[in-house]
Amino acid sequence: MQFPAVWRRSAATFAAATALILSGASAPAFAAQQPVKYVNLGDSYSAGWGSLAPTAVGNPVYLSPEYGGPTCLHGGPDDVTLFDQLHSVAPTGDYACAGALVGDPNSTAGVPAGGIPTIVQQAAEASRDGALNSTTGLVTLTAGGNDVNFGQIIGACAADPSPTAVGCREAVAYGVQLANGVDVAGTVAKIRGYAANAKIAWLGYPQLFATAGESTTVIAGGGVMSAAAAAVFDKGTDQLNAVLAGKTRSAGAQFVDVTPKFNGHEIGSADSWFNLGQYTQFNFHPTADGYTQGYYPAMVSAIKPAQLVKG
């Protein structure tokens, strides 16, 4: 029987390959792909604070006496934990601490009172440990909320009963003013000084409160503040994110917006992903669901770690 030419070529190729294998000759090897080396920095939202309330542990990477004991605290498994489990990611260190500030990235002062290192101090510690260097391919962080006194703004808005939330508006406006002074560019530059080849992803903050008119809202403001104040506070979160996003992109880094992933899961919604209750130190931080179903998918879809893998 006469086979088509293409079949004859395929048959010849197969026969040649079989002979090569039987002869013991080695086939060309493909270079193994190297997962991206990854370091996490940041504040409580990067540290998984609240994911296992009421449990919290000291971050084990801060063991030197200058930190004064377990003052850098972490939560439990979170978005970073899931991110670390991706085949495309090779974690080399998690240096995030609840309560961390951006602060002054150019300051030569020691660790702030309380033993909580700033973002740049976290990066410096990671560099000393050998976790952050020229082979690092990805750095993630959340930061800025403590610099604008996030907790105090919540308190001011919760205490404002006025119909138009005048006091809340003033507190939010001052917070936005402080946000404009957050040195994102200096922080990104310092991180780049340690990890020149890394992609730097600065993650934003979710809106905290359900507002009137949303289909998932059970009580606007979640019983924490009035509906008017909740709307003002959430708008303030959007403004903070916008400021951080603009500064981050201007510095040549990536900003990751997480707010869409939390839509319908704010405090006061039918299915909240935030702590609120007896464990007050974890209040207004995501639960395990918030980290794993909110932050984690936002990180993966925006950062696309598989595309950072080196062949």
Side-chain angles (χ1 to χ4, degrees):
M1 178 181 293
Q2 182 67 33
F3 293 101
V6 66
W7 288 14
R8 293 199 301 273
R9 287 196 297 273
S10 297
T13 301
F14 177 76
T18 302
L20 182 65
I21 293 170
L22 293 176
S23 72
S26 59
F30 291 98
Q33 288 189 320
Q34 298 296 318
V36 60
K37 292 183 179 179
Y38 166 50
V39 172
N40 181 56
L41 311 171
D43 60 18
S44 55
Y45 278 73
S46 280
W49 192 246
S51 63
L52 278 181
T55 302
V57 296
N59 189 330
V61 302
Y62 296 100
L63 300 177
S64 58
E66 66 180 306
Y67 295 105
T71 54
C72 172
L73 296 177
H74 256 195
D78 58 3
D79 50 311
V80 175
T81 308
L82 290 179
F83 206 73
D84 287 352
Q85 294 172 0
L86 295 172
H87 293 302
S88 55
V89 172
T92 58
D94 187 352
Y95 290 80
C97 297
L101 294 161
V102 173
D104 180 2
N106 298 308
S107 173
T108 58
V111 177
I116 301 174
T118 65
I119 304 304
V120 165
Q121 288 170 337
Q122 292 173 18
E125 184 75 11
S127 176
R128 284 192 291 269
D129 291 347
L132 186 66
N133 52 46
S134 61
T135 68
T136 304
L138 176 65
V139 176
T140 61
L141 69 151
T142 57
N146 292 316
D147 297 83
V148 303
N149 300 319
F150 216 54
Q152 292 181 25
I153 298 173
I154 292 175
C157 291
D160 184 359
S162 65
T164 57
V166 176
C168 181
R169 290 180 190 278
E170 292 175 350
V172 166
Y174 183 60
V176 174
Q177 180 181 334
L178 292 175
N180 286 319
V182 174
D183 193 351
V184 172
T187 301
V188 169
K190 290 290 186 179
I191 295 171
R192 278 232 172 81
Y194 298 117
N197 301 308
K199 177 175 187 173
I200 301 172
W202 196 301
L203 282 66
Y205 297 97
Q207 292 184 343
L208 290 185
F209 298 101
T211 54
E214 296 177 325
S215 61
T216 55
T217 296
V218 175
I219 177 170
V224 175
M225 59 184 66
S226 69
V232 171
F233 184 89
D234 282 353
K235 183 178 179 181
T237 301
D238 290 342
Q239 291 173 303
L240 170 61
N241 284 331
V243 171
L244 293 176
K247 288 175 174 284
T248 300
R249 291 165 185 149
S250 294
Q254 179 183 19
F255 183 81
V256 178
D257 182 12
V258 302
T259 52
K261 298 296 183 183
F262 283 84
N263 284 345
H265 300 286
E266 303 89 348
I267 295 169
S269 70
D271 182 24
S272 172
W273 287 350
F274 291 93
N275 286 282
L276 183 67
Q278 59 180 316
Y279 307 122
T280 55
Q281 62 178 330
F282 301 106
N283 283 351
F284 312 116
H285 287 80
T287 60
D289 284 344
Y291 287 113
T292 60
Q293 298 182 52
Y295 267 95
Y296 173 67
M299 290 171 67
V300 173
S301 62
I303 297 171
K304 298 178 174 56
Q307 295 182 9
L308 302 177
V309 171
K310 297 187 181 298

